[in-house]
Amino acid sequence: MTLVITGAALATVDDAGTEHASGYVVVEGDRIADLGAGPAPDIAGASIVDGSGCLVTPGMVNTHHHLYQWATRGMSQTCTLFEWLVELYPIWGRLDADVTHAAASGGLARLALTGCTTVADHHYVFPADGGDQAAAVVSAAGRIGTRLHLVRGSMDRGESGGGLPPDNIVEDTDAALAATEEAIAKYHDPAGNARVRVAVGPCSPFSVTERLMIGAAELARRVDVRMHTHLAETTDEDEQCRREFGCTPVEYAERLGWLGDDVWLAHAVHLTPDAVGTIAASGTGTAHCPTSNARIGVGVAPVADLLAAGVPVGLGVDGAASNESGGLAEEMHQALLFARQRGGPTSLSPRQALWMATAGGARCLGRSDDLGSLAVGKLADLAMWRLDGLTHAGIDDPVAALVLGAPAPLELLLVGGEPVVRANQLTTVDDRVLARELAAAHRKLVDR
Ligand SMILES: [Zn+2]
């Protein structure tokens, strides 16, 4: 099966920043066989897609999410992070596999419709009677058609241990580690074209013991999977860390073996200049979540400083309970605006924002060999954006149109060469069905 996109602008996001005002992409099977400027070569029997008026970019990579939170959007609207968590934990404690499957399906659909082909989902709530939460997320990704990096999260530090979550939604330390190892054995695929990979993800310093952080790192490095956690999100966390452990969150992570080129950290908002250097020197990635950070009012991450230091920064929508929109293309726009409010108009360019959404995200997830840019031999995960409608026609530069302009309609989204979105509609599932499921999942959680 060969598919040829013709007559589209291309932003490849390769290391040289190659772009073509009009070019083509040839897809054979699940990989890119050819691409370049000008008219496409004639290939007998190929299926032709007219890309005129469109921009083709790599499929986007979401580096931080909590898909289950699609069932609890619009709540706790004026809380700090800790207040927001304390209000929502008891509701999340009622999660069952059906609710999580509906929430994850809706969240993944929204991501696909905003150009995202690979999603890291940090799932850390495993109620004792909540059914098979990991299976619910994995099956939702298969249903919608996106790649999934399931971050098997965990919490073992409830209120009685000085943590923030109620005791009834935390796991026993050894049980959490065993369940994480089980999820890796069951779902992790190390192949280059993997649809599902698994990472370890103890939730955060204020909900996880040191023993779990250290044990999770040992597990990840023993079985060669990546590591992810929340870090340095709020000043409250910073103060608690200094009070309790006598160091900053980044020093705490370093002490526990939680920095390295196999680690990516969610948020990284409150960083000292030394911490930026430490993160960069260790090869650690960060997931920048501008909308969620703004919704909770925690501050603006020093993204320009991190990028300048060479840190692989990706973008994340974060859980939908702190970002009701949950769309990835929108995060490029937000990232650019917030970086400029912090550091002025030269602090982040539209192309740097696109890089974070694609190549930067792929580096965070350890997928740079196969994802994150358009290149011969890479997986055919790509997004084709329509830019000739009223909201974008005439914008001087297609990348600026995509990043600075309104969210663009998505003409085509391919994951491994397979169409998941056509003409702004999912090809895999009827979105009206997903909407009904989401509404029912929300009622099931809040009406109980
Ligand atoms: Zn998060």
Side-chain angles (χ1 to χ4, degrees):
M1 170 72 191
T2 302
L3 180 146
V4 181
I5 297 172
T6 64
L10 306 183
T12 69
V13 200
D14 64 9
D15 290 345
T18 307
E19 296 181 6
H20 302 299
S22 179
Y24 65 90
V25 182
V26 178
V27 174
E28 280 178 9
D30 68 352
R31 295 203 177 249
I32 296 170
D34 191 9
L35 83 170
D42 279 336
I43 299 175
S47 154
I48 307 295
V49 175
D50 178 6
S52 53
C54 296
L55 168 68
V56 179
T57 68
M60 292 177 180
V61 178
N62 181 40
T63 56
H64 185 66
H65 207 336
H66 314 289
L67 286 165
Y68 73 86
Q69 290 182 12
W70 271 76
T72 59
R73 289 183 297 160
M75 306 172 76
S76 304
Q77 298 173 11
T78 56
C79 292
T80 67
L81 177 70
F82 283 6
E83 291 164 353
W84 177 92
L85 284 166
V86 166
E87 282 193 12
L88 289 168
Y89 281 138
I91 300 168
W92 297 338
R94 300 178 210 137
L95 277 182
D96 62 32
D98 290 342
V99 167
T100 295
H101 185 258
S105 298
L108 289 163
R110 174 76 179 125
L111 282 164
L113 287 164
T114 53
C116 182
T117 49
T118 298
V119 179
D121 183 45
H122 190 184
H123 192 94
Y124 56 84
V125 180
F126 293 87
D129 56 356
D132 193 337
Q133 292 286 314
V137 177
V138 171
S139 72
R143 180 186 190 198
I144 303 302
T146 50
R147 294 185 202 279
L148 175 71
H149 282 229
L150 175 68
V151 182
R152 205 298 181 181
S154 45
M155 302 190 292
D156 70 337
R157 190 174 177 219
E159 280 169 333
S160 62
L164 200 63
D167 286 348
N168 68 340
I169 65 164
V170 304
E171 296 175 276
D172 167 74
T173 309
D174 292 320
L177 287 168
T180 304
E181 187 158 6
E182 197 177 303
I184 295 165
K186 192 166 179 185
Y187 297 117
H188 181 70
D189 178 0
N193 65 351
R195 288 277 178 161
V196 181
R197 285 195 182 172
V198 179
V200 304
C203 188
S204 61
F206 48 83
S207 60
V208 172
T209 62
E210 286 192 25
R211 189 161 83 81
L212 180 53
M213 291 294 288
I214 292 167
E218 285 172 354
L219 166 62
R221 287 172 175 146
R222 173 162 55 81
V223 300
D224 193 22
V225 300
R226 297 180 81 78
M227 299 156 54
H228 181 54
T229 191
H230 294 93
L231 203 81
E233 183 174 359
T234 67
T235 51
D236 287 344
E237 176 193 336
D238 193 77
E239 284 161 17
Q240 183 181 338
C241 200
R242 288 171 193 267
R243 195 171 56 241
E244 198 171 338
F245 307 117
C247 60
T248 66
V250 169
E251 288 165 346
Y252 182 64
E254 188 173 30
R255 186 195 296 173
L256 301 180
W258 266 84
L259 295 180
D261 61 7
D262 52 356
V263 181
W264 82 106
L265 303 169
H267 301 300
V269 173
H270 295 283
L271 302 175
T272 62
D274 279 355
V276 172
T278 304
I279 289 172
S282 64
T284 307
T286 65
H288 177 41
C289 306
T291 302
S292 168
N293 293 158
R295 203 278 206 185
I296 300 185
V298 306
V300 181
V303 171
D305 297 344
L306 289 163
L307 288 172
V311 174
V313 182
L315 294 180
V317 298
D318 203 0
S322 61
N323 176 2
E324 278 71 6
S325 170
L328 192 56
E330 295 142 48
E331 297 301 321
M332 290 191 297
H333 184 79
Q334 307 281 54
L336 182 139
L337 297 183
F338 288 126
R340 290 184 175 197
Q341 285 288 35
R342 190 183 162 107
T346 60
S347 52
L348 198 77
S349 72
R351 282 165 179 79
Q352 285 178 298
L354 177 61
W355 184 88
M356 288 195 289
T358 54
R363 275 188 58 188
C364 286
L365 301 190
R367 300 297 296 269
S368 292
D369 288 348
D370 296 286
L371 298 172
S373 65
L374 302 177
V376 173
K378 284 205 170 185
L379 288 166
D381 286 25
L382 59 84
M384 189 167 94
W385 309 88
R386 180 153 291 287
L387 298 177
D388 58 1
L390 175 65
T391 47
H392 300 89
I395 296 183
D396 189 55
D397 161 21
V399 174
L402 181 66
V403 177
L404 298 175
L410 190 60
E411 189 63 32
L412 180 69
L413 186 77
L414 299 182
V415 179
E418 293 176 16
V420 173
V421 176
R422 276 191 202 279
N424 234 15
Q425 292 289 320
L426 289 168
T427 63
T428 46
V429 189
D430 183 338
D431 62 355
R432 292 165 299 185
V433 171
L434 297 176
R436 281 197 293 274
E437 290 178 3
L438 267 179
H442 173 68
R443 278 197 307 275
K444 190 173 177 185
L445 276 191
V446 300
D447 290 352
R448 248 184 234 178

Coordinates of all heavy atoms in Angstrom, one line a residue, residues 237-323:
E237 N 5.2 22.9 46.5 CA 6.0 21.7 46.5 C 7.5 22.1 46.8 O 8.2 21.3 47.6 CB 6.0 21.1 45.1 CG 6.9 19.9 44.9 CD 7.1 19.5 43.4 OE1 6.2 19.8 42.6 OE2 8.1 18.9 43.1
D238 N 8.0 23.2 46.3 CA 9.3 23.6 46.5 C 9.5 23.8 48.0 O 10.5 23.3 48.6 CB 9.6 24.9 45.8 CG 11.1 25.3 45.7 OD1 11.8 24.6 44.9 OD2 11.5 26.1 46.5
E239 N 8.6 24.5 48.7 CA 8.7 24.8 50.1 C 8.7 23.5 50.9 O 9.4 23.3 51.9 CB 7.6 25.7 50.6 CG 7.8 27.2 50.2 CD 6.6 28.0 50.2 OE1 5.6 27.6 50.8 OE2 6.6 29.1 49.5
Q240 N 7.7 22.6 50.5 CA 7.6 21.3 51.3 C 8.9 20.5 51.1 O 9.4 19.9 52.1 CB 6.4 20.5 50.7 CG 6.2 19.2 51.5 CD 5.1 18.3 51.1 OE1 4.2 18.8 50.4 NE2 5.1 17.1 51.4
C241 N 9.5 20.5 49.9 CA 10.7 19.7 49.7 C 11.8 20.2 50.5 O 12.6 19.5 51.1 CB 11.0 19.8 48.2 SG 12.1 18.5 47.6
R242 N 12.0 21.6 50.5 CA 13.1 22.2 51.3 C 12.9 21.9 52.8 O 13.8 21.6 53.5 CB 13.1 23.7 51.1 CG 13.7 24.1 49.7 CD 13.5 25.5 49.4 NE 13.7 25.9 48.0 CZ 14.9 26.3 47.5 NH1 15.9 26.3 48.3 NH2 14.9 26.6 46.2
R243 N 11.6 22.0 53.3 CA 11.3 21.8 54.7 C 11.6 20.3 55.1 O 12.2 20.0 56.1 CB 9.8 22.1 54.9 CG 9.4 22.3 56.4 CD 8.0 22.9 56.5 NE 7.0 22.1 55.8 CZ 6.2 22.6 54.8 NH1 6.4 23.8 54.4 NH2 5.3 21.8 54.2
E244 N 11.1 19.4 54.2 CA 11.1 18.0 54.6 C 12.4 17.3 54.3 O 12.9 16.5 55.1 CB 10.0 17.3 53.9 CG 9.6 16.0 54.5 CD 8.3 15.4 53.8 OE1 7.5 16.1 53.3 OE2 8.2 14.2 53.9
F245 N 13.0 17.6 53.1 CA 14.2 16.9 52.7 C 15.4 17.8 52.7 O 16.5 17.3 52.4 CB 14.0 16.4 51.3 CG 12.7 15.5 51.1 CD1 11.7 15.9 50.3 CD2 12.6 14.3 51.9 CE1 10.6 15.1 50.2 CE2 11.5 13.6 51.7 CZ 10.4 14.0 50.9
G246 N 15.3 19.1 53.0 CA 16.4 20.0 53.1 C 17.1 20.3 51.7 O 18.3 20.6 51.7
C247 N 16.3 20.2 50.6 CA 16.9 20.5 49.3 C 15.8 20.9 48.3 O 14.6 20.8 48.7 CB 17.6 19.2 48.8 SG 16.5 17.8 48.7
T248 N 16.2 21.3 47.2 CA 15.2 21.6 46.1 C 14.7 20.3 45.5 O 15.3 19.3 45.6 CB 15.8 22.5 45.0 OG1 16.8 21.6 44.3 CG2 16.5 23.7 45.6
P249 N 13.5 20.4 44.8 CA 13.0 19.2 44.1 C 14.0 18.6 43.2 O 14.1 17.4 43.1 CB 11.8 19.8 43.4 CG 11.3 20.9 44.2 CD 12.6 21.6 44.7
V250 N 14.8 19.4 42.4 CA 15.7 18.8 41.5 C 16.9 18.1 42.2 O 17.3 17.0 41.9 CB 16.3 19.9 40.5 CG1 17.5 19.3 39.7 CG2 15.1 20.3 39.5
E251 N 17.3 18.7 43.4 CA 18.3 18.0 44.2 C 17.8 16.7 44.8 O 18.5 15.7 44.8 CB 18.8 19.0 45.3 CG 19.7 20.1 44.8 CD 19.9 21.2 45.8 OE1 19.1 21.3 46.8 OE2 20.7 22.1 45.6
Y252 N 16.5 16.8 45.1 CA 15.9 15.5 45.7 C 15.8 14.5 44.6 O 16.2 13.3 44.8 CB 14.5 15.9 46.1 CG 13.7 14.8 46.7 CD1 14.1 14.2 47.9 CD2 12.5 14.3 46.1 CE1 13.4 13.1 48.5 CE2 11.7 13.3 46.7 CZ 12.2 12.7 47.9 OH 11.5 11.7 48.4
A253 N 15.4 14.8 43.4 CA 15.4 13.9 42.3 C 16.8 13.3 42.0 O 17.0 12.1 41.8 CB 14.9 14.5 41.0
E254 N 17.8 14.2 42.0 CA 19.2 13.7 41.8 C 19.6 12.7 42.9 O 20.2 11.7 42.6 CB 20.1 14.9 41.8 CG 21.5 14.6 41.4 CD 22.4 15.9 41.2 OE1 22.1 16.9 41.9 OE2 23.3 15.9 40.4
R255 N 19.3 13.0 44.1 CA 19.6 12.1 45.2 C 19.0 10.7 45.1 O 19.6 9.7 45.5 CB 19.1 12.8 46.5 CG 19.6 12.1 47.8 CD 18.7 12.6 49.0 NE 18.9 14.0 49.3 CZ 18.2 14.6 50.3 NH1 17.3 14.0 51.0 NH2 18.4 15.9 50.5
L256 N 17.8 10.7 44.5 CA 17.1 9.4 44.4 C 17.4 8.7 43.1 O 16.8 7.7 42.8 CB 15.6 9.6 44.5 CG 15.2 10.3 45.8 CD1 13.6 10.4 45.8 CD2 15.6 9.4 47.0
G257 N 18.3 9.2 42.3 CA 18.6 8.5 41.0 C 17.6 8.9 39.9 O 17.4 8.1 38.9
W258 N 16.9 10.0 40.1 CA 15.8 10.3 39.1 C 16.2 11.4 38.1 O 15.3 12.2 37.7 CB 14.6 10.7 40.0 CG 13.7 9.5 40.1 CD1 13.8 8.5 41.0 CD2 12.6 9.1 39.2 NE1 12.9 7.5 40.8 CE2 12.1 7.9 39.7 CE3 12.0 9.7 38.1 CZ2 11.1 7.2 39.1 CZ3 11.0 9.0 37.5 CH2 10.5 7.8 38.0
L259 N 17.5 11.5 37.8 CA 17.9 12.3 36.6 C 18.6 11.4 35.7 O 19.3 10.5 36.1 CB 18.8 13.5 37.1 CG 18.1 14.6 38.0 CD1 19.1 15.6 38.3 CD2 16.9 15.2 37.4
G260 N 18.6 11.7 34.4 CA 19.3 10.9 33.4 C 18.6 11.0 32.0 O 17.5 11.6 31.9
D261 N 19.3 10.5 31.0 CA 18.8 10.6 29.7 C 17.7 9.6 29.5 O 17.1 9.5 28.4 CB 19.9 10.5 28.6 CG 20.6 9.2 28.7 OD1 20.2 8.3 29.5 OD2 21.6 9.0 28.0
D262 N 17.3 8.8 30.5 CA 16.1 7.9 30.4 C 15.0 8.5 31.2 O 14.0 7.7 31.5 CB 16.5 6.5 30.9 CG 17.2 6.5 32.3 OD1 17.4 7.6 32.8 OD2 17.5 5.4 32.8
V263 N 15.1 9.7 31.7 CA 14.0 10.4 32.5 C 13.5 11.6 31.8 O 14.2 12.3 31.2 CB 14.7 10.8 33.9 CG1 13.6 11.4 34.8 CG2 15.4 9.7 34.6
W264 N 12.1 11.8 31.9 CA 11.6 13.1 31.6 C 10.6 13.5 32.7 O 9.9 12.7 33.3 CB 11.0 13.1 30.2 CG 9.6 12.6 30.0 CD1 8.4 13.3 29.8 CD2 9.1 11.2 29.9 NE1 7.3 12.5 29.6 CE2 7.7 11.2 29.7 CE3 9.8 10.0 30.1 CZ2 7.0 10.1 29.6 CZ3 9.0 8.8 30.0 CH2 7.6 8.9 29.7
L265 N 10.7 14.8 33.0 CA 10.0 15.3 34.2 C 8.8 16.2 33.7 O 9.0 17.1 32.9 CB 10.9 16.2 35.0 CG 12.2 15.5 35.5 CD1 13.2 16.5 36.1 CD2 11.9 14.4 36.6
A266 N 7.7 16.0 34.4 CA 6.5 16.9 34.0 C 6.7 18.2 34.8 O 7.0 18.2 36.0 CB 5.2 16.2 34.4
H267 N 6.5 19.3 34.1 CA 6.4 20.7 34.6 C 7.7 21.4 34.7 O 8.0 22.3 33.9 CB 5.6 20.8 35.9 CG 4.2 20.2 35.7 ND1 3.3 20.8 34.9 CD2 3.6 19.2 36.3 CE1 2.1 20.1 34.9 NE2 2.3 19.1 35.8
A268 N 8.5 21.1 35.7 CA 9.8 21.8 35.8 C 9.6 23.3 35.7 O 10.2 24.0 34.9 CB 10.8 21.3 34.8
V269 N 8.7 23.8 36.5 CA 8.4 25.3 36.5 C 9.3 26.1 37.4 O 9.9 27.1 36.9 CB 6.9 25.5 36.9 CG1 6.6 27.0 37.0 CG2 5.9 24.8 35.9
H270 N 9.5 25.6 38.6 CA 10.2 26.4 39.6 C 11.7 25.8 39.7 O 11.9 24.9 40.5 CB 9.5 26.4 40.9 CG 8.2 27.2 40.8 ND1 8.1 28.5 40.8 CD2 7.0 26.7 40.6 CE1 6.9 28.9 40.6 NE2 6.1 27.8 40.5
L271 N 12.5 26.4 38.9 CA 13.9 25.9 38.8 C 14.9 27.0 39.1 O 14.8 28.1 38.6 CB 14.2 25.3 37.4 CG 13.3 24.2 36.9 CD1 13.7 23.9 35.4 CD2 13.4 23.0 37.7
T272 N 15.9 26.7 39.9 CA 17.0 27.7 40.1 C 17.9 27.6 38.8 O 17.8 26.6 38.1 CB 17.8 27.3 41.3 OG1 18.4 26.0 41.1 CG2 17.0 27.3 42.6
P273 N 18.7 28.6 38.6 CA 19.6 28.5 37.5 C 20.5 27.2 37.6 O 20.8 26.6 36.6 CB 20.5 29.8 37.6 CG 19.6 30.7 38.2 CD 18.8 29.9 39.2
D274 N 20.9 26.9 38.8 CA 21.7 25.6 39.0 C 20.9 24.4 38.6 O 21.4 23.5 38.0 CB 22.1 25.5 40.5 CG 23.3 26.3 40.9 OD1 23.9 26.9 39.9 OD2 23.6 26.3 42.0
A275 N 19.6 24.4 38.9 CA 18.8 23.3 38.5 C 18.7 23.1 37.0 O 18.7 22.0 36.5 CB 17.4 23.4 39.2
V276 N 18.5 24.2 36.3 CA 18.5 24.1 34.8 C 19.8 23.4 34.3 O 19.8 22.5 33.5 CB 18.3 25.5 34.2 CG1 18.5 25.4 32.7 CG2 17.0 26.1 34.5
G277 N 20.9 23.8 34.9 CA 22.2 23.2 34.5 C 22.3 21.8 34.9 O 22.8 21.0 34.1
T278 N 21.8 21.4 36.0 CA 21.8 20.0 36.5 C 20.9 19.1 35.6 O 21.3 18.0 35.2 CB 21.3 19.9 37.9 OG1 22.0 20.8 38.7 CG2 21.3 18.5 38.4
I279 N 19.7 19.7 35.2 CA 18.8 18.9 34.3 C 19.5 18.7 33.0 O 19.6 17.6 32.4 CB 17.5 19.6 34.2 CG1 16.7 19.5 35.5 CG2 16.7 19.1 33.0 CD1 15.4 20.4 35.5
A280 N 20.1 19.8 32.5 CA 20.8 19.7 31.1 C 21.9 18.8 31.1 O 22.1 17.9 30.3 CB 21.2 21.1 30.7
A281 N 22.8 18.9 32.2 CA 24.0 18.0 32.2 C 23.6 16.5 32.3 O 24.4 15.7 31.8 CB 24.9 18.4 33.4
S282 N 22.5 16.2 32.9 CA 22.1 14.8 33.1 C 21.4 14.3 31.9 O 21.2 13.0 31.8 CB 21.2 14.7 34.3 OG 20.0 15.4 34.1
G283 N 21.0 15.1 30.9 CA 20.3 14.6 29.7 C 18.8 14.4 30.0 O 18.1 13.9 29.1
T284 N 18.3 14.8 31.1 CA 16.9 14.7 31.5 C 16.0 15.6 30.6 O 16.4 16.7 30.2 CB 16.7 15.1 32.9 OG1 17.6 14.4 33.8 CG2 15.3 14.8 33.4
G285 N 14.9 15.0 30.2 CA 13.9 15.8 29.4 C 12.9 16.4 30.3 O 12.7 16.1 31.5
T286 N 12.1 17.4 29.8 CA 11.0 18.0 30.6 C 9.8 18.1 29.7 O 9.9 18.4 28.5 CB 11.3 19.4 31.1 OG1 11.5 20.3 30.1 CG2 12.6 19.3 32.0
A287 N 8.6 17.9 30.3 CA 7.3 18.1 29.6 C 6.7 19.4 30.0 O 6.3 19.5 31.2 CB 6.4 16.9 30.0
H288 N 6.6 20.3 29.1 CA 6.1 21.6 29.4 C 4.6 21.6 29.2 O 4.1 21.2 28.1 CB 6.8 22.6 28.5 CG 6.3 24.0 28.6 ND1 6.1 24.6 29.8 CD2 6.1 25.0 27.6 CE1 5.7 25.9 29.6 NE2 5.7 26.1 28.3
C289 N 3.8 22.1 30.2 CA 2.4 22.0 30.1 C 1.8 23.4 30.4 O 1.3 23.7 31.4 CB 1.9 21.0 31.2 SG 2.6 19.4 31.1
P290 N 1.9 24.3 29.4 CA 1.6 25.7 29.7 C 0.1 26.0 30.0 O -0.1 26.8 30.9 CB 2.0 26.4 28.4 CG 2.1 25.3 27.3 CD 2.5 24.1 28.0
T291 N -0.8 25.3 29.4 CA -2.2 25.6 29.7 C -2.6 25.1 31.1 O -3.2 25.9 31.9 CB -3.1 24.9 28.7 OG1 -2.8 25.3 27.4 CG2 -4.6 25.2 29.0
S292 N -2.1 23.9 31.5 CA -2.4 23.4 32.8 C -1.8 24.3 33.9 O -2.4 24.7 34.9 CB -1.9 22.0 33.0 OG -1.9 21.6 34.3
N293 N -0.5 24.7 33.6 CA 0.2 25.6 34.6 C -0.6 26.9 34.8 O -0.7 27.4 35.9 CB 1.6 25.9 34.1 CG 2.5 24.6 34.1 OD1 3.5 24.6 33.4 ND2 2.2 23.6 34.9
A294 N -1.1 27.4 33.7 CA -1.8 28.7 33.7 C -3.2 28.5 34.4 O -3.6 29.3 35.2 CB -2.0 29.3 32.3
R295 N -3.9 27.4 34.1 CA -5.2 27.1 34.7 C -5.1 27.0 36.2 O -6.0 27.5 36.9 CB -5.7 25.8 34.1 CG -7.2 25.5 34.1 CD -7.7 25.1 35.4 NE -9.0 24.3 35.3 CZ -9.7 23.8 36.3 NH1 -9.3 24.1 37.5 NH2 -10.8 23.1 36.1
I296 N -4.0 26.4 36.7 CA -3.8 26.3 38.2 C -3.0 27.5 38.7 O -2.9 27.8 39.9 CB -3.2 25.0 38.5 CG1 -4.1 23.9 38.0 CG2 -3.0 24.8 40.0 CD1 -3.7 22.5 38.4
G297 N -2.5 28.3 37.8 CA -1.8 29.6 38.2 C -0.5 29.3 38.9 O -0.2 30.0 39.9
V298 N 0.3 28.3 38.5 CA 1.5 28.0 39.2 C 2.7 28.8 38.7 O 3.7 28.7 39.4 CB 1.8 26.5 39.1 CG1 0.6 25.6 39.5 CG2 2.2 26.1 37.7
G299 N 2.6 29.4 37.6 CA 3.8 30.1 37.1 C 4.2 29.6 35.7 O 3.5 28.8 35.1
V300 N 5.2 30.1 35.1 CA 5.6 29.8 33.7 C 7.0 29.2 33.8 O 7.9 29.7 34.3 CB 5.7 31.1 32.9 CG1 6.1 30.7 31.4 CG2 4.3 31.8 32.9
A301 N 7.1 28.0 33.2 CA 8.4 27.3 33.2 C 9.4 28.0 32.3 O 9.0 28.7 31.3 CB 8.2 25.9 32.6
P302 N 10.7 28.0 32.7 CA 11.7 28.7 32.0 C 12.2 27.9 30.8 O 13.3 27.5 30.6 CB 12.9 28.7 33.0 CG 12.7 27.5 33.9 CD 11.2 27.3 33.9
V303 N 11.2 27.8 29.8 CA 11.4 27.0 28.6 C 12.6 27.4 27.8 O 13.4 26.6 27.3 CB 10.1 26.9 27.8 CG1 10.4 26.2 26.5 CG2 9.1 26.2 28.6
A304 N 12.7 28.8 27.6 CA 13.8 29.3 26.8 C 15.1 28.9 27.4 O 16.1 28.6 26.7 CB 13.7 30.8 26.6
D305 N 15.2 29.0 28.7 CA 16.5 28.7 29.4 C 16.8 27.2 29.3 O 18.0 26.8 29.0 CB 16.4 29.0 30.9 CG 16.2 30.5 31.2 OD1 16.5 31.3 30.3 OD2 15.8 30.8 32.3
L306 N 15.8 26.4 29.4 CA 16.0 24.9 29.3 C 16.4 24.6 27.8 O 17.4 23.8 27.7 CB 14.7 24.2 29.6 CG 14.3 24.2 31.1 CD1 12.8 23.8 31.3 CD2 15.2 23.2 31.9
L307 N 15.8 25.2 26.8 CA 16.2 24.9 25.5 C 17.6 25.4 25.2 O 18.4 24.7 24.5 CB 15.2 25.5 24.5 CG 13.8 24.9 24.4 CD1 12.8 25.8 23.6 CD2 13.8 23.5 23.8
A308 N 17.9 26.6 25.7 CA 19.2 27.1 25.5 C 20.3 26.2 26.1 O 21.4 26.1 25.6 CB 19.3 28.5 26.0
A309 N 19.9 25.6 27.2 CA 20.9 24.7 27.9 C 21.0 23.3 27.2 O 21.8 22.5 27.6 CB 20.5 24.5 29.4
G310 N 20.1 23.1 26.2 CA 20.2 21.8 25.5 C 19.2 20.7 26.0 O 19.4 19.6 25.7
V311 N 18.3 21.1 26.9 CA 17.4 20.1 27.4 C 16.3 19.8 26.4 O 15.8 20.7 25.7 CB 16.6 20.7 28.7 CG1 15.6 19.8 29.2 CG2 17.7 21.0 29.8
P312 N 16.0 18.5 26.2 CA 14.9 18.1 25.3 C 13.6 18.4 26.0 O 13.2 17.7 26.9 CB 15.1 16.6 25.1 CG 16.0 16.1 26.2 CD 16.8 17.3 26.7
V313 N 13.0 19.5 25.5 CA 11.7 19.9 26.1 C 10.6 19.4 25.1 O 10.6 19.7 24.0 CB 11.6 21.4 26.3 CG1 10.3 21.8 26.9 CG2 12.8 21.9 27.1
G314 N 9.6 18.7 25.7 CA 8.4 18.4 24.9 C 7.2 19.1 25.5 O 7.3 19.9 26.5
L315 N 6.1 19.0 24.8 CA 4.8 19.6 25.3 C 3.9 18.6 25.8 O 3.8 17.4 25.4 CB 4.2 20.4 24.1 CG 4.9 21.6 23.6 CD1 4.1 22.2 22.5 CD2 5.2 22.6 24.7
G316 N 3.1 19.0 26.8 CA 2.0 18.1 27.4 C 0.8 18.9 27.6 O 0.8 20.1 28.0
V317 N -0.4 18.3 27.4 CA -1.6 18.9 27.7 C -1.9 18.8 29.2 O -2.7 19.5 29.8 CB -2.8 18.4 26.9 CG1 -2.6 18.6 25.4 CG2 -3.1 16.9 27.2
D318 N -1.3 17.8 29.9 CA -1.6 17.5 31.3 C -3.0 17.0 31.4 O -3.8 17.1 30.5 CB -1.3 18.7 32.2 CG -1.0 18.2 33.7 OD1 -1.0 17.0 33.9 OD2 -0.8 19.1 34.5
G319 N -3.4 16.5 32.6 CA -4.7 15.9 32.8 C -5.8 16.9 32.5 O -5.6 18.1 32.8
A320 N -6.9 16.4 32.0 CA -7.9 17.3 31.5 C -8.7 18.0 32.6 O -9.4 18.9 32.4 CB -8.9 16.6 30.6
A321 N -8.5 17.6 33.9 CA -9.1 18.3 35.0 C -8.4 19.6 35.2 O -8.9 20.5 36.0 CB -9.1 17.5 36.2
S322 N -7.2 19.9 34.6 CA -6.6 21.2 34.7 C -6.3 21.7 33.3 O -5.6 22.7 33.1 CB -5.3 21.1 35.5 OG -4.3 20.2 34.8
N323 N -7.0 21.2 32.3 CA -6.9 21.7 30.9 C -8.1 21.1 30.2 O -7.9 20.0 29.5 CB -5.6 21.3 30.3 CG -5.5 21.8 28.8 OD1 -6.4 22.4 28.3 ND2 -4.4 21.4 28.2

